[in-house]
Amino acid sequence: MKKRFMTLIGLLVLAGTQTAIATEQEVKNTIVNDNAYVKKHLKVPENSYSKEGAMEFWSSGGLIQNVKTDGRLEEYDSFNIDVKHIQVTILVPDQVALAHYYSEGSMAPKGNSAVSNYRTRVSQVYTKEAGKWKVRSSHWSPITGGSGTSQTAIVE
């Protein structure tokens, strides 16, 4: 009986570990794929934000931004940003995760000044909704010697 119990515990731990590994990889893939989408299409992908919207602090400074469920509808004249060193902390396996990473490169948002040395630290909370990871909260802060975005508010 004790042997069966220990085997069951081992299987539960293994299953939990596999779920954690899958969660981490899914969140990393979401970040990389969303960034690649912006590079290719010069706009933020649709449906990347939570159905509840998101709260964000942007790298340009200023007040907290309340991003609606349709996300940041900004477009770019150019976008050459890379994401680096993504680390994921799982808060609730397969449901909620926190990602930290660096975002570096250059961009020119339509209607705003170009940023030639964009370098920020990023913290984002992701929630899983209908099988997809969605942004629920973001904080972007410039790295010393780099610049944040030139956007300062959501234009509706």
Side-chain angles (χ1 to χ4, degrees):
M1 184 69 155
K2 185 176 180 182
K3 200 174 206 180
R4 285 185 187 170
F5 180 73
M6 293 305 290
T7 301
L8 178 60
I9 295 296
L11 289 172
L12 290 173
V13 168
L14 181 60
T17 301
Q18 293 300 334
T19 300
I21 291 169
T23 296
E24 180 179 357
Q25 195 57 54
E26 287 173 7
V27 171
K28 285 181 178 182
N29 288 345
T30 297
I31 293 165
V32 169
N33 292 341
D34 284 356
N35 190 73
Y37 182 94
V38 179
K39 277 184 170 182
K40 183 176 180 179
H41 300 283
L42 298 177
K43 64 181 181 178
V44 176
E46 294 178 19
N47 302 314
S48 59
Y49 279 79
S50 167
K51 65 183 177 203
E52 303 294 327
M55 301 301 284
E56 296 191 332
F57 284 109
W58 294 349
S59 57
S60 55
L63 302 175
I64 195 166
Q65 300 293 319
N66 184 8
V67 180
K68 295 180 181 175
T69 189
D70 52 1
R72 294 169 65 177
L73 303 175
E74 58 204 27
E75 294 183 2
Y76 299 88
D77 290 322
S78 67
F79 188 91
N80 188 27
I81 302 287
D82 293 312
V83 294
K84 301 176 179 180
H85 310 296
I86 302 169
Q87 300 291 314
V88 177
T89 301
I90 299 160
L91 302 176
V92 180
D94 207 37
Q95 293 180 35
V96 183
L98 171 64
H100 292 98
Y101 60 95
Y102 299 98
S103 186
E104 300 177 344
S106 62
M107 69 164 119
K110 285 190 182 211
N112 287 290
S113 301
V115 179
S116 61
N117 186 25
Y118 181 77
R119 296 188 327 160
T120 63
R121 296 174 296 250
V122 184
S123 298
Q124 289 184 303
V125 175
Y126 283 85
T127 59
K128 197 166 195 181
E129 300 174 8
K132 304 280 185 189
W133 289 97
K134 308 291 183 170
V135 175
R136 186 69 178 101
S137 178
S138 301
H139 188 132
W140 310 76
S141 66
I143 297 172
T144 302
S147 299
T149 62
S150 51
Q151 301 103 313
T152 57
I154 294 174
V155 179
E156 294 188 39

